[in-house]
Amino acid sequence: MPEKVEKVARKELSRMKKIPSQSPEYTVARTYLDWLVELPWSKESKDNENIEHAQTVLDNDHYGLEKVKERIIEHLAVRNLKKSRSKKGERMKSPILCFGGPPGTGKTSIGKSIADSMDREFIRISLGGVRDEAEIRGHRRTYIGALPGRIIASLKKAGTNNPIFMLDEIDKLGMDFRGDPSSALLEVLDPEQNFSFSDHYLEVSYDLSKVMFIATANYKDAIPPALRDRMEILEFSGYIEDEKIKIAQRHLIPKQIEENGLTSKDVSVDVTGIKETIQSYTREAGVRNLEREIANILRKIARDKVEKKIKKVKVSKKKVNDYLGAPSFYSELAERATKPGVVTGLAWTAAGGDILFIESSKMKGSGKLTLTGQLGDVMKESATAALTYVRSHTDILGLEEDFHEKTDIHVHVPAGAIPKDGPSAGVGMFTSLVSLLCGTSVQTGVAMTGEITLRGNVLPIGGVKEKVTAAHRSGIKTIILPDHNRKDLEEIPEHIKKDLSFHFVKEIMDVIDVAIPDLKGKKERKSKSQQKVTS
């Protein structure tokens, strides 16, 4: 024990000697001393600081997640250097990492892999629905049945003072009249304070600076701002199709074959079968539903093996359809017939990415703009900004100045039952309106994403990797992206990039030159005819 803690413990021991053993106070003092004695004040597990070993463990357990693995390796490298140069008694701060992303993307399981790679103990507590501050800080000893909080209790269970501590579902903390647990966590997760964490039960400081805290959250916006400020958030954006295929081959299929009483001699799953399961039966960012559907197929094979005594089964695309029935999802074809006013946009979804169609139609009226398709406020504003830009540049686009006074415009984004919002449809809305009003179709195989300003600038957007992968899957050949998103192409696999041509745009008129090249020709012809008339 540290000297100050031992002083408190010996004082309590001498007090306990004077209390009769039949007294309730005796039991309280005895329990308190038991806690002080059993806590790992100085017991520390030795870190395995071999970076190659850590990399191997992380790669074997998880496919992809390169940024997260890189961050863990960096942490180990820093520890190696600091240990060799640190002065005696100097504290080493551990990072507070937060893995944020959709369910099923491997946030919790990679925490266990980190512990294995560093040879540390692993503790996990779920914070979902925790509303009582005493869960974190403990109860004061004046209460009957008082206990320390879950932080101290978990450290006693781990038996070392430097475990990997996972705080699961930190975005689902509650709050009520019993206190605010998120505020109690501030001291735990602040590297400047947690070397002297004070639990209400212990009433002595405990050093948490050697613990490596990892939090997980599905929605980082739901984490209280003060808590979020103390953590380094690593994004788990979800897996693209190629990554899911590799994960299924390496981890999910072998695991489910074993769990369903089969062997590799009984069944093999073809790549076409995995692709069909991903595309037609699961629509998610993670791989949980994919694992369920694989298990569903293997259970049916196990039944056939018992009933019909069948030999080895090769699961192909057709077999997947036979076992799982009618597809639950289908991808809209990018090659569907395009008419003036129809544009292919790119969207980020929790399932990764998808293409969406923006359709515009006009009719006689008085300049009314109608927007449908369960659009959020941001998309409605994008449509209004796009129409304003069109109206203020009628001369460049070759439109009548008063076209809006006698025309009503209706912009619709199909799949109306699905709420849609986000700052990346402005470019698509504008192109759809220009295509409609000029009567010229957009080039086939072209998809676009980006936000616009009233001055005609194209602003950068997020989720480029997911959007580009969705476009490639749907048969798109040309993608229009904001110029500031050039750097995001580094994340996209090479075999996807080589099938696509990218156009980076800074201004909205650059989009028209790529998406509606016929319109450019019309403008040139019109300017020539105007020159002839003048001469």
Side-chain angles (χ1 to χ4, degrees), residues 63-267:
Y63 181 82
L65 305 176
E66 299 307 327
K67 284 188 177 176
V68 179
K69 292 177 186 174
E70 192 181 319
R71 181 65 186 82
I72 303 308
I73 300 301
E74 285 168 5
H75 170 64
L76 286 175
V78 169
R79 279 190 74 85
N80 279 359
L81 292 174
K82 279 198 82 175
K83 251 188 179 175
S84 60
R85 296 174 188 174
S86 61
K87 298 167 190 171
K88 197 177 179 184
E90 189 181 347
R91 281 188 298 111
M92 287 184 70
K93 294 176 188 174
S94 277
I96 315 290
L97 302 179
C98 179
F99 299 157
T105 48
K107 298 186 297 295
T108 305
S109 61
I110 202 167
K112 182 78 177 76
S113 300
I114 292 166
D116 291 343
S117 70
M118 295 174 74
D119 286 350
R120 287 194 186 189
E121 292 294 323
F122 179 70
I123 308 168
R124 176 190 162 273
I125 62 170
S126 179
L127 298 175
V130 170
R131 294 171 298 181
D132 190 351
E133 186 189 330
E135 292 268 349
I136 309 298
R137 282 192 184 278
H139 303 84
R140 298 203 179 273
R141 277 182 292 140
T142 49
Y143 298 108
I144 295 169
L147 283 171
R150 290 168 74 176
I151 304 290
I152 294 295
S154 299
L155 285 168
K156 176 190 167 188
K157 198 175 175 183
T160 60
N161 65 3
N162 65 336
I164 302 289
F165 205 121
M166 177 151 275
L167 302 165
D168 232 350
E169 313 291 359
I170 202 167
D171 57 327
K172 296 176 182 65
L173 276 170
M175 188 197 304
D176 66 4
F177 63 92
R178 285 167 288 193
D180 178 8
S182 65
S183 298
L185 274 173
L186 292 179
E187 188 182 1
V188 176
L189 298 181
D190 192 334
E192 299 299 327
Q193 298 179 47
N194 67 8
F195 64 90
S196 60
F197 172 67
S198 175
D199 186 274
H200 286 158
Y201 181 83
L202 295 184
E203 290 179 343
V204 289
S205 296
Y206 191 94
D207 186 359
L208 294 176
S209 62
K210 292 175 182 173
V211 179
M212 185 174 177
F213 286 100
I214 299 174
T216 71
N218 293 139
Y219 306 101
K220 61 179 187 208
D221 294 338
I223 305 170
L227 207 54
R228 191 166 65 228
D229 181 56
R230 285 160 168 80
M231 298 187 289
E232 180 184 339
I233 295 180
L234 298 178
E235 292 282 355
F236 278 60
S237 57
Y239 300 109
I240 59 175
E241 187 180 296
D242 292 29
E243 289 172 337
K244 287 183 182 180
I245 291 168
K246 288 276 193 288
I247 291 166
Q249 288 173 330
R250 287 189 188 186
H251 303 288
L252 308 183
I253 293 169
K255 178 186 167 189
Q256 288 302 325
I257 284 175
E258 190 182 332
E259 286 192 5
N260 287 284
L262 299 164
T263 65
S264 54
K265 292 177 183 175
D266 299 321
V267 62

Side-chain angles (χ1 to χ4, degrees), residues 372-385:
T372 54
Q374 277 274 58
L375 305 183
D377 291 339
V378 177
M379 282 183 82
K380 287 176 182 174
E381 287 165 8
S382 296
T384 311

